[in-house]
Amino acid sequence: MNKKPPTSARPKSKRLSPEDRRQEFIRKATEFFADEGFNGGTRELARRLGVTQPLLYRYFPSKDDLIEEVYKKVYLEPLESGWEKRLMDRSRPIRERLCEFYNAYTDAIFTRIWLRIYLFSGLKGLEINRAYVNVVRDKILTRIVRECRAAADLPAQKPTAAELEMAWVFHGGIFYYGIRKYIYEASVLEDKDKMIADAVDVYLASFTRIAEPRRLSRRSDRLQLAGED
Amino acid sequence: MNKKPPTSARPKSKRLSPEDRRQEFIRKATEFFADEGFNGGTRELARRLGVTQPLLYRYFPSKDDLIEEVYKKVYLEPLESGWEKRLMDRSRPIRERLCEFYNAYTDAIFTRIWLRIYLFSGLKGLEINRAYVNVVRDKILTRIVRECRAAADLPAQKPTAAELEMAWVFHGGIFYYGIRKYIYEASVLEDKDKMIADAVDVYLASFTRIAEPRRLSRRSDRLQLAGED
DNA sequence: GACCATATTTATCACTCGATAATCAAGAAG
DNA sequence: CTTCTTGATTATCGAGTGATAAATATGGTC
């Protein structure tokens, strides 16, 4: 919608292109709804934008349409980085790949805004949230399990339910770090990279134990624990 | 609705004791707000209770007071089981104690109602939520770390930041199982006990690796991974 | 039965919400 | 300047909100 071909050569942007204005509204609306929840009023939102409330309805047919735009922006943003390729680059150690992936992924989603929008929409049970969870499972976790199996010289196969569950617990442990920091606003270990590296080490170290219980004695390399018979 | 009192002498329950009625309101209000969020209207809530809306204000001065009661009920309920003692019973193996604790704890909090109320209030940044997170840290995680140190014959000391962080990741991984099941309503591994047992095994197996990096070669018992130099 | 305390409802207020129509303002083109 | 398009505002509507007061229904007690 680059409406006006300016008579002069350069784009004499006086006001702001309608589409740019719209995008700015979406961006600030994302911040607003992240703070206030989707029950936040359009008047308060307009006040933050520095405009009057009815103007919103020039750019969006209804509040729900605006919210829809917020959803799309938030959910698609972290997915449009090409992290899939690097996770499957078997020329590099699996540990390095996992650490790099989760460092990048959490750099994208560990923000107050993203996590809050994500949880707000999750509590509404929206389809886009279900879809995102499926993407995490299919595009991230199953690939992680597959790569771990390959790295451990286990035969390639569809991840078992238990393997997938362990990957979810691993993933959820990391994810919960973001929730603690940006939702609960609790103090966390400052060194996020170390947290991820430790979590990856723990997951990798135990991978075969869960995936292939018969390959190792389940207790052979576990701690010797007081009272264990 | 066991409202008919026998004419005989026994505990002469009238129509329903005012306090009981109040508790019933709180109980159903908890379900309601778990479904609709705390922005749910008092009229719709009253409709679910089978009464008219102004009646709520005979039992609670305001909607916020009712919500406060919901908070207290939800947050205090899972804490009033004496799980602290059993976690520190060193006559039993640490693995058994951890599994038993998390089985019981998740039996208490892994419900649609509890998790939704918890997240709704967490997103509001309420003091009671902060307090609960601190309780989890001080009454559960620090004790778990302490018991693990004892079980591994490590000297007793205040948990390091890294140890606490690993405990949080462990705890969060289990917690996220509940979120996936009851918030996202995604399919999870049906056998919750197995998920917990696996998570506990993973955590315990790696405990010394993180707690005391010098006790073991960090790579001695890890998988041999393709490409690792 | 009559009486009274209280549980419950009906009617209503002041306010906020999302949304719409009418009006005004600000540039661009002639 | 005048005209036209469009961005932006003012005023307002109808529905829904939490909350209050007055009126009514109900059960226990004498």
Side-chain angles (χ1 to χ4, degrees):
Chain A
M1 233 23 113
N2 189 9
K3 50 155 190 183
K4 282 306 166 196
T7 49
S8 81
R10 71 174 138 257
K12 44 187 306 186
S13 64
K14 232 180 177 174
R15 309 186 153 176
L16 201 56
S17 149
E19 183 55 28
D20 288 347
R21 194 88 216 263
R22 194 180 137 91
Q23 291 303 321
E24 190 200 355
F25 278 13
I26 295 175
R27 195 174 52 79
K28 293 227 181 174
T30 305
E31 295 178 22
F32 174 73
F33 289 127
D35 285 338
E36 308 290 332
F38 292 109
N39 292 104
T42 54
R43 282 171 179 79
E44 178 66 16
L45 167 57
R47 200 189 57 76
R48 280 212 209 182
L49 289 167
V51 299
T52 55
Q53 179 245 0
L55 185 60
L56 295 174
Y57 292 85
R58 180 158 219 86
Y59 292 87
F60 308 95
S62 74
K63 182 186 177 184
D64 281 343
D65 288 274
L66 170 55
I67 290 177
E68 194 68 25
E69 299 290 335
V70 170
Y71 286 147
K72 281 193 248 177
K73 184 165 153 30
V74 167
Y75 275 95
L76 295 182
E77 215 163 52
L79 296 182
E80 62 197 14
S81 308
W83 34 256
E84 323 177 22
K85 272 175 48 184
R86 316 191 69 172
L87 199 52
M88 301 169 73
D89 172 16
R90 295 191 180 173
S91 70
R92 294 161 57 220
I94 182 70
R95 178 178 189 275
E96 188 178 314
R97 280 179 278 159
L98 284 177
C99 285
E100 185 202 59
F101 166 74
Y102 272 104
N103 284 330
Y105 183 62
T106 56
D107 279 343
I109 71 171
F110 281 2
T111 68
R112 172 181 160 85
I113 290 176
W114 193 94
L115 288 169
R116 287 180 68 91
I117 295 286
Y118 181 73
L119 286 185
F120 275 127
S121 66
L123 283 166
K124 287 215 242 176
L126 296 179
E127 201 52 46
I128 195 171
N129 189 275
R130 305 259 174 103
Y132 187 85
V133 172
N134 287 339
V135 166
V136 170
R137 185 194 55 211
D138 296 336
K139 306 295 185 199
I140 300 180
L141 299 182
T142 60
R143 286 176 182 176
I144 285 177
V145 172
R146 188 195 307 151
E147 294 304 308
C148 284
R149 289 191 68 90
D153 285 324
L154 294 172
Q157 63 174 49
K158 187 160 162 286
T160 67
E163 281 176 320
L164 206 50
E165 190 62 41
M166 286 312 299
W168 267 118
V169 171
F170 160 61
H171 182 89
I174 293 176
F175 191 85
Y176 204 61
Y177 175 97
I179 294 190
R180 282 157 45 216
K181 180 165 186 179
Y182 291 102
I183 305 292
Y184 303 153
E185 292 175 346
S187 66
V188 298
L189 184 71
E190 279 313 304
D191 191 344
K192 189 191 74 167
D193 290 3
K194 171 167 171 50
M195 181 275 297
I196 288 176
D198 285 349
V200 166
D201 280 340
V202 170
Y203 176 68
L204 286 178
S206 300
F207 182 76
T208 51
R209 198 183 349 263
I210 306 301
E212 292 281 312
R214 273 156 307 196
R215 275 175 76 98
L216 295 171
S217 161
R218 285 183 63 100
R219 298 194 167 181
S220 61
D221 58 351
R222 203 186 310 149
L223 291 172
Q224 290 304 322
L225 303 169
E228 190 157 23
D229 53 350
Chain B
M1 271 325 161
N2 186 10
K3 60 154 59 174
K4 276 308 162 201
T7 49
S8 76
R10 273 195 292 270
K12 42 187 312 181
S13 59
K14 315 180 173 186
R15 15 178 107 171
L16 199 60
S17 149
E19 184 55 27
D20 288 347
R21 193 87 214 265
R22 195 179 137 92
Q23 290 304 321
E24 191 201 353
F25 278 14
I26 296 174
R27 195 174 51 80
K28 293 226 181 174
T30 305
E31 296 178 21
F32 174 74
F33 288 128
D35 285 338
E36 308 289 331
F38 292 109
N39 292 101
T42 53
R43 282 170 179 80
E44 177 66 16
L45 167 58
R47 201 188 57 75
R48 279 212 209 182
L49 289 166
V51 300
T52 54
Q53 179 245 1
L55 186 60
L56 295 173
Y57 292 85
R58 180 158 217 86
Y59 291 88
F60 309 95
S62 72
K63 182 186 176 183
D64 281 344
D65 288 274
L66 170 56
I67 290 176
E68 193 69 24
E69 298 291 335
V70 170
Y71 287 147
K72 282 194 246 177
K73 182 165 154 34
V74 166
Y75 275 95
L76 295 181
E77 214 163 54
L79 296 181
E80 63 195 14
S81 308
W83 35 256
E84 321 176 24
K85 272 176 48 186
R86 315 191 69 172
L87 200 51
M88 302 170 73
D89 173 16
R90 295 192 180 172
S91 70
R92 295 162 56 221
I94 182 70
R95 178 178 189 275
E96 188 178 313
R97 279 180 279 160
L98 283 178
C99 285
E100 185 201 60
F101 167 75
Y102 272 104
N103 284 331
Y105 184 61
T106 56
D107 279 342
I109 70 170
F110 280 3
T111 68
R112 172 181 161 86
I113 290 175
W114 194 93
L115 288 170
R116 287 180 68 91
I117 295 286
Y118 181 73
L119 286 184
F120 275 128
S121 66
L123 283 166
K124 287 217 244 175
L126 295 179
E127 201 52 47
I128 195 170
N129 189 276
R130 305 259 175 102
Y132 187 85
V133 172
N134 287 339
V135 167
V136 169
R137 185 193 56 211
D138 297 336
K139 306 296 186 199
I140 299 180
L141 298 182
T142 59
R143 285 177 183 174
I144 285 177
V145 172
R146 189 195 306 149
E147 294 303 309
C148 283
R149 289 191 69 89
D153 286 325
L154 294 172
Q157 64 174 49
K158 187 160 163 286
T160 66
E163 281 176 320
L164 206 50
E165 191 61 41
M166 286 310 300
W168 268 118
V169 171
F170 160 60
H171 182 89
I174 293 177
F175 190 85
Y176 203 62
Y177 175 97
I179 294 190
R180 281 157 46 217
K181 180 167 186 178
Y182 292 103
I183 305 292
Y184 303 153
E185 292 174 347
S187 66
V188 297
L189 184 72
E190 281 312 305
D191 191 345
K192 189 190 74 169
D193 289 4
K194 171 166 171 53
M195 180 276 295
I196 289 175
D198 285 348
V200 166
D201 280 341
V202 170
Y203 177 68
L204 286 178
S206 301
F207 183 76
T208 52
R209 203 184 342 266
I210 307 301
E212 292 280 312
R214 274 155 308 195
R215 275 176 76 97
L216 295 172
S217 163
R218 285 183 61 102
R219 299 195 166 177
S220 62
D221 56 352
R222 201 187 311 149
L223 290 172
Q224 291 304 322
L225 302 170
E228 190 157 22
D229 55 348

XYZ file of all heavy atoms in Angstrom, chain A residues 168-204:
311
model
N 10.424 -33.666 26.289
C 9.518 -32.622 26.780
C 9.947 -32.138 28.162
O 9.921 -30.939 28.454
C 8.083 -33.145 26.853
C 7.254 -32.892 25.630
C 6.697 -33.833 24.812
C 6.867 -31.630 25.093
N 5.994 -33.236 23.800
C 6.069 -31.882 23.941
C 7.101 -30.306 25.449
C 5.523 -30.860 23.167
C 6.552 -29.284 24.671
C 5.779 -29.572 23.550
N 10.314 -33.069 29.022
C 10.733 -32.673 30.370
C 11.998 -31.824 30.295
O 12.123 -30.803 30.980
C 10.951 -33.920 31.251
C 11.603 -33.536 32.572
C 9.617 -34.634 31.495
N 12.909 -32.228 29.431
C 14.123 -31.449 29.203
C 13.778 -30.049 28.690
O 14.204 -29.027 29.243
C 15.007 -32.215 28.200
C 16.037 -31.393 27.501
C 17.032 -30.730 28.206
C 16.026 -31.290 26.109
C 17.992 -29.971 27.541
C 16.975 -30.528 25.447
C 17.953 -29.878 26.159
N 12.963 -30.025 27.662
C 12.538 -28.749 27.076
C 11.791 -27.889 28.102
O 12.040 -26.689 28.228
C 11.631 -29.045 25.869
C 11.147 -27.836 25.147
N 11.840 -27.255 24.102
C 10.021 -27.087 25.300
C 11.176 -26.210 23.654
N 10.065 -26.084 24.351
N 10.881 -28.528 28.825
C 10.084 -27.799 29.816
C 10.928 -27.234 30.936
O 10.648 -26.151 31.441
N 11.968 -27.953 31.321
C 12.849 -27.447 32.366
C 13.502 -26.154 31.934
O 13.599 -25.197 32.716
N 13.950 -26.124 30.682
C 14.547 -24.889 30.169
C 13.493 -23.796 30.048
O 13.700 -22.652 30.444
C 15.227 -25.160 28.805
C 16.433 -26.084 29.002
C 15.647 -23.855 28.137
C 17.119 -26.486 27.718
N 12.340 -24.176 29.501
C 11.264 -23.200 29.305
C 10.855 -22.552 30.628
O 10.579 -21.356 30.698
C 10.062 -23.894 28.668
C 8.993 -22.961 28.184
C 9.074 -22.372 26.932
C 7.894 -22.663 28.979
C 8.094 -21.508 26.481
C 6.904 -21.797 28.538
C 7.008 -21.220 27.290
N 10.834 -23.371 31.659
C 10.386 -22.876 32.965
C 11.331 -21.810 33.515
O 10.923 -20.970 34.322
C 10.275 -24.043 33.938
C 9.325 -23.787 35.088
C 7.986 -23.527 34.870
C 9.777 -23.813 36.411
C 7.120 -23.292 35.915
C 8.914 -23.582 37.459
C 7.589 -23.325 37.206
O 6.736 -23.078 38.253
N 12.585 -21.856 33.087
C 13.518 -20.800 33.462
C 12.976 -19.441 33.010
O 12.991 -18.459 33.776
C 14.872 -21.089 32.808
C 15.938 -20.026 32.995
C 16.892 -20.147 34.003
C 16.021 -18.930 32.144
C 17.884 -19.195 34.159
C 17.011 -17.971 32.293
C 17.940 -18.105 33.304
O 18.923 -17.158 33.462
N 12.472 -19.400 31.793
C 11.904 -18.147 31.285
C 10.672 -17.730 32.059
O 10.474 -16.539 32.351
N 9.837 -18.684 32.404
C 8.639 -18.357 33.168
C 9.009 -17.805 34.528
O 8.446 -16.814 34.995
C 7.734 -19.599 33.306
C 7.193 -19.992 31.925
C 6.601 -19.339 34.300
C 6.119 -21.035 31.956
N 9.988 -18.440 35.159
C 10.397 -17.956 36.477
C 10.923 -16.530 36.380
O 10.623 -15.681 37.228
C 11.482 -18.870 37.056
C 10.939 -20.170 37.627
C 12.017 -21.242 37.659
N 13.273 -20.731 38.166
C 14.463 -21.120 37.722
N 14.562 -22.003 36.760
N 15.552 -20.623 38.247
N 11.701 -16.272 35.349
C 12.340 -14.962 35.257
C 11.361 -13.876 34.816
O 11.346 -12.786 35.380
C 13.516 -15.032 34.274
C 14.250 -13.705 34.114
C 15.597 -13.882 33.429
C 16.370 -12.558 33.404
N 17.699 -12.694 32.776
N 10.526 -14.177 33.811
C 9.743 -13.100 33.196
C 8.272 -13.102 33.585
O 7.582 -12.106 33.384
C 9.885 -13.164 31.679
C 11.269 -12.808 31.211
C 12.168 -13.794 30.828
C 11.684 -11.486 31.189
C 13.454 -13.474 30.407
C 12.958 -11.149 30.768
C 13.836 -12.148 30.391
O 15.100 -11.818 29.987
N 7.769 -14.202 34.107
C 6.383 -14.218 34.570
C 6.351 -14.034 36.086
O 5.701 -13.132 36.602
C 5.671 -15.523 34.182
C 5.770 -15.763 32.676
C 4.214 -15.481 34.636
C 4.989 -14.785 31.837
N 7.059 -14.892 36.785
C 7.100 -14.759 38.249
C 8.027 -13.635 38.667
O 7.977 -13.179 39.807
C 7.575 -16.063 38.883
C 6.754 -17.265 38.538
C 7.306 -18.532 38.540
C 5.405 -17.141 38.204
C 6.551 -19.650 38.216
C 4.657 -18.246 37.876
C 5.227 -19.494 37.882
O 4.494 -20.588 37.551
N 8.899 -13.242 37.752
C 9.913 -12.230 38.059
C 10.714 -12.619 39.286
O 10.985 -11.805 40.170
C 9.260 -10.854 38.224
C 8.694 -10.325 36.909
C 7.943 -9.012 37.085
O 7.633 -8.660 38.231
O 7.665 -8.349 36.074
N 11.039 -13.899 39.328
C 11.881 -14.404 40.410
C 13.346 -14.289 39.992
O 13.652 -14.107 38.812
C 11.536 -15.857 40.709
N 14.231 -14.388 40.945
C 15.648 -14.328 40.601
C 16.083 -15.703 40.117
O 15.744 -16.728 40.702
C 16.470 -13.892 41.818
O 16.407 -14.875 42.823
N 16.805 -15.710 39.038
C 17.284 -16.958 38.459
C 18.795 -16.896 38.333
O 19.401 -15.834 38.516
C 16.658 -17.188 37.062
C 15.148 -17.313 37.156
C 17.042 -16.049 36.125
N 19.384 -18.031 38.037
C 20.816 -18.042 37.754
C 21.063 -17.102 36.582
O 20.501 -17.268 35.508
C 21.272 -19.461 37.400
C 22.764 -19.655 37.164
C 23.521 -19.536 38.485
C 23.049 -20.983 36.500
N 21.918 -16.113 36.803
C 22.082 -15.102 35.769
C 22.625 -15.671 34.466
O 22.250 -15.243 33.387
C 23.024 -13.996 36.275
C 22.323 -13.001 37.159
C 20.996 -12.523 36.563
O 21.012 -12.012 35.425
O 19.950 -12.683 37.227
N 23.503 -16.640 34.594
C 24.171 -17.184 33.409
C 23.246 -18.166 32.697
O 23.280 -19.366 32.940
C 25.467 -17.866 33.834
C 26.341 -18.221 32.647
O 25.820 -18.210 31.513
O 27.523 -18.526 32.854
N 22.453 -17.640 31.791
C 21.503 -18.486 31.069
C 22.222 -19.568 30.265
O 21.765 -20.712 30.211
C 20.644 -17.631 30.132
C 19.496 -18.384 29.497
C 18.839 -17.574 28.386
C 19.716 -17.547 27.156
N 19.031 -17.049 25.948
N 23.337 -19.199 29.652
C 24.062 -20.169 28.849
C 24.515 -21.362 29.684
O 24.477 -22.507 29.230
C 25.288 -19.507 28.201
C 24.873 -18.526 27.112
O 23.663 -18.345 26.920
O 25.769 -17.951 26.453
N 24.917 -21.076 30.919
C 25.352 -22.171 31.779
C 24.166 -23.067 32.134
O 24.275 -24.295 32.137
C 25.993 -21.635 33.058
C 26.276 -22.744 34.086
C 27.174 -22.289 35.217
C 27.259 -23.338 36.336
N 27.564 -24.699 35.828
N 23.039 -22.442 32.439
C 21.841 -23.227 32.736
C 21.525 -24.177 31.589
O 21.267 -25.365 31.795
C 20.671 -22.279 32.997
C 19.353 -22.935 33.340
S 18.357 -23.449 31.910
C 18.027 -21.872 31.117
N 21.586 -23.641 30.372
C 21.283 -24.462 29.202
C 22.330 -25.557 29.033
O 21.994 -26.725 28.805
C 21.193 -23.574 27.947
C 19.914 -22.736 28.014
C 21.217 -24.418 26.685
C 19.764 -21.744 26.889
N 23.584 -25.185 29.173
C 24.644 -26.177 29.004
C 24.492 -27.304 30.022
O 24.628 -28.489 29.694
C 26.015 -25.517 29.152
N 24.190 -26.951 31.261
C 23.988 -27.979 32.285
C 22.800 -28.866 31.950
O 22.860 -30.095 32.068
C 23.768 -27.316 33.653
C 25.064 -26.769 34.240
O 26.142 -27.095 33.693
O 24.999 -26.026 35.235
N 21.693 -28.227 31.536
C 20.510 -29.015 31.198
C 20.793 -29.951 30.032
O 20.371 -31.119 30.042
C 19.340 -28.085 30.868
N 21.514 -29.456 29.042
C 21.864 -30.298 27.891
C 22.740 -31.455 28.337
O 22.532 -32.607 27.934
C 22.562 -29.451 26.802
C 23.221 -30.345 25.767
C 21.560 -28.516 26.139
N 23.717 -31.174 29.183
C 24.595 -32.243 29.670
C 23.796 -33.314 30.397
O 23.994 -34.510 30.185
C 25.660 -31.657 30.610
C 26.798 -31.014 29.832
O 26.958 -31.339 28.639
O 27.527 -30.195 30.418
N 22.896 -32.870 31.252
C 22.092 -33.827 32.006
C 21.253 -34.681 31.061
O 21.181 -35.902 31.191
C 21.171 -33.091 33.005
C 20.156 -34.055 33.614
C 22.003 -32.436 34.090
N 20.659 -34.022 30.094
C 19.799 -34.752 29.165
C 20.609 -35.754 28.346
O 20.233 -36.925 28.226
C 19.093 -33.768 28.241
C 18.243 -34.416 27.183
C 17.086 -35.113 27.516
C 18.612 -34.352 25.838
C 16.311 -35.725 26.535
C 17.841 -34.950 24.850
C 16.699 -35.627 25.211
O 15.933 -36.220 24.234
N 21.705 -35.296 27.819
C 22.509 -36.180 26.977
C 23.080 -37.354 27.773
O 23.109 -38.485 27.292
C 23.648 -35.392 26.329
C 23.236 -34.460 25.189
C 24.455 -33.702 24.667
C 22.575 -35.254 24.068
